[in-house]
Amino acid sequence: MKKELILIGTTWPFRSGGIASFNERLAREFQAQGYTVTIYTFSLQYPSFLFPGKSQYSSDPAPTDLNIHVRINSINPFNWLWMGWVIARKKAPLILVRFWLPFMGPCLGTILRIIRWNRVSKVICIADNIIPHEKRIGDQWFTRYFIGAVDAFITMSNKVQKDLMTFTNKKSLICPHPLYDNFGTIMTKEAARKQLGLPTEERIVLFFGFIRKYKGLDILLKAMQLVKLKNEAFHLPPVKLMIAGEFYDEAETYQNLITELGLTAYIYSFTNFIPSEQVQYYLNACDFVIQPYRNATQSGVTPLAYHFEKPMLVTNVGALPDMILADKSGLVAEPNPESIAAGIEELYLQGEDYFLDQLRKGKKKYQWDQLVNSIADLAK
């Protein structure tokens, strides 16, 4: 097969959160393996009423090593027809598209149907979610419409694979989420904390990422109160929580809860968007990463923690426990305050070094070339 790929999905000029960073890193891996890669990203990704953050757009300059065309309008059907025709004419043997939200189904489904008229391009989808975390009217129809335009699928967890099979029996492979290795390097905890203005000796756990209800920050805050009360009762050093990520829910709800629970002095809050170049400081500064999700498929925070060799506590939902249990790289708790509090206590009882060898062994299994090879196998 000719080594030419067109990737349709979010990249710069959108902010380098999980999906944009993933797509750009994957494009670079394809290029490293000899592919010519062209990216078509969005000129308009979400209408403002669907975007809960402060800004969708990056302030960084365009990457100089990627061929990015900012052309797709998610809500303009005339644009979908035009872009389908533009991409179809290129007759690239492999079209790779990212699907994470049913809202994108009409746009991407229409573009892909037109591309496939050229009878050359094979369409492979990387599906983050098939059934969304936050459901809306039309989800099922939009998802079915999109799936009908795809030849084969990559999923990154058993949960998404099972969801996909409720819609289609088209060919699919499971390939775990590769490690994010493009957010900086491992540094000493002391250096990272100095950068953030945090005390060197304190015990600090991290909640990282956009703050949405399904991610369970409120559950974690209630767990932190239980940890606080127990540590006070037994005269143990306090555990503090660093929250690093932008609010996609009402910030006041969480701020009020922190006050009500008496946790004001136990929280380090960094609740603006975290630029890519600063991610390394938050991950290096913490003792453990806590993912208290109510529900989940997989999470990009897990491979990020692996890269920075930070043990994790995850809740027993979706695919979150899979990597943790397989690699013994942390602990699994139930999504309630009591279980999460007990898990945090157990993490400190075991200590960071207890998990370190397993984290380092696990890192070797989650590489970008494995994802590229899986996609190439589906395209044969």
Side-chain angles (χ1 to χ4, degrees):
M1 185 178 73
K2 183 180 177 183
K3 285 196 163 185
E4 184 179 351
L5 164 71
I6 290 178
L7 190 157
I8 300 173
T10 308
T11 59
W12 182 95
F14 295 91
R15 294 194 313 192
S16 191
I19 292 178
S21 294
F22 184 111
N23 289 341
E24 291 174 8
R25 177 63 181 85
L26 181 58
R28 292 184 174 104
E29 185 64 31
F30 270 104
Q31 289 179 164
Q33 295 197 27
Y35 283 78
T36 300
V37 180
T38 304
I39 299 171
Y40 285 89
T41 190
F42 295 92
S43 56
L44 179 102
Q45 181 174 228
Y46 302 122
S48 57
F49 75 90
L50 277 180
F51 184 75
K54 294 176 182 177
S55 174
Q56 300 181 51
Y57 297 98
S58 171
S59 58
D60 296 332
T64 56
D65 60 336
L66 297 175
N67 181 16
I68 299 175
H69 299 267
V70 184
R71 302 282 293 278
I72 298 172
N73 185 312
S74 68
I75 60 173
N76 185 340
F78 295 104
N79 173 269
W80 310 343
L81 299 173
W82 172 251
M83 291 311 305
W85 182 77
V86 166
I87 298 172
R89 288 183 64 203
K90 295 185 177 296
K91 296 187 176 180
L94 178 56
I95 306 292
L96 183 63
V97 63
R98 195 75 180 269
F99 184 74
W100 68 101
L101 190 67
F103 170 79
M104 294 297 176
C107 166
L108 297 177
T110 300
I111 291 171
L112 296 176
R113 278 171 167 77
I114 296 170
I115 292 172
R116 293 173 76 199
W117 287 349
N118 68 21
R119 299 186 180 276
V120 173
S121 300
K122 187 157 189 178
V123 177
I124 310 295
C125 168
I126 300 176
D128 294 82
N129 302 302
I130 293 296
I131 297 173
H133 301 298
E134 295 152 338
K135 296 177 176 59
R136 295 182 175 89
I137 294 172
D139 284 350
Q140 289 263 336
W141 187 89
F142 291 165
T143 300
R144 288 188 187 281
Y145 180 73
F146 171 80
I147 286 172
V150 175
D151 293 304
F153 293 84
I154 292 282
T155 63
M156 292 181 283
S157 69
N158 288 317
K159 171 67 166 63
V160 177
Q161 182 78 357
K162 289 177 182 176
D163 291 345
L164 176 65
M165 291 175 69
T166 65
F167 285 86
T168 183
N169 58 3
K170 290 181 179 181
K171 189 175 179 182
S172 62
L173 292 175
I174 301 174
C175 184
H177 195 306
L179 300 191
Y180 281 125
D181 54 8
N182 52 325
F183 285 100
T185 58
I186 295 173
M187 66 180 70
T188 66
K189 191 180 294 181
E190 292 75 18
R193 291 189 177 186
K194 183 178 180 181
Q195 186 71 31
L196 297 174
L198 299 176
T200 303
E201 299 81 14
E202 288 185 345
R203 302 198 292 177
I204 301 175
V205 297
L206 172 66
F207 175 96
F208 187 85
F210 298 131
I211 300 166
R212 309 192 78 149
K213 184 175 177 60
Y214 77 87
K215 294 189 176 184
L217 176 57
D218 57 326
I219 302 174
L220 177 55
L221 291 171
K222 293 171 184 175
M224 291 299 298
Q225 184 197 39
L226 298 177
V227 173
K228 168 181 174 286
L229 293 173
K230 187 168 183 179
N231 286 339
E232 288 174 347
F234 289 93
H235 306 289
L236 297 172
V239 176
K240 297 191 176 181
L241 171 63
M242 174 167 44
I243 303 171
E246 185 178 354
F247 280 108
Y248 275 28
D249 283 338
E250 282 293 331
E252 189 177 359
T253 302
Y254 297 93
Q255 292 160 354
N256 289 342
L257 184 59
I258 289 169
T259 302
E260 290 167 14
L261 296 173
L263 292 176
T264 303
Y266 293 80
I267 304 294
Y268 293 114
S269 185
F270 301 89
T271 52
N272 291 316
F273 177 76
I274 309 296
S276 297
E277 66 274 10
Q278 293 182 20
V279 168
Q280 60 185 328
Y281 302 126
Y282 298 94
L283 271 295
N284 281 304
C286 71
D287 301 323
F288 304 104
V289 174
I290 314 297
Q291 298 181 68
Y293 292 19
R294 283 184 166 81
N295 58 76
T297 46
Q298 65 278 319
S299 169
V301 176
T302 301
L304 193 61
Y306 262 88
H307 172 66
F308 289 101
E309 299 178 358
K310 291 296 178 178
M312 287 156 277
L313 174 71
V314 305
T315 45
N316 188 23
V317 297
L320 287 186
D322 293 354
M323 292 169 71
I324 308 303
L325 294 173
D327 304 324
K328 298 179 181 177
S329 53
L331 300 176
V332 178
E334 295 305 314
N336 63 66
E338 294 76 17
S339 183
I340 293 170
I344 292 171
E345 292 165 7
E346 181 66 19
L347 285 173
Y348 278 104
L349 184 64
Q350 299 286 358
E352 293 174 75
D353 290 344
Y354 177 82
F355 302 96
L356 194 55
D357 284 346
Q358 292 303 119
L359 274 166
R360 288 173 176 167
K361 289 176 184 176
K363 285 175 73 171
K364 299 174 182 178
K365 300 194 299 186
Y366 308 115
Q367 301 303 314
W368 289 92
D369 61 342
Q370 296 175 21
L371 179 56
V372 168
N373 293 339
S374 295
I375 294 166
D377 287 344
L378 280 177
K380 291 177 182 176

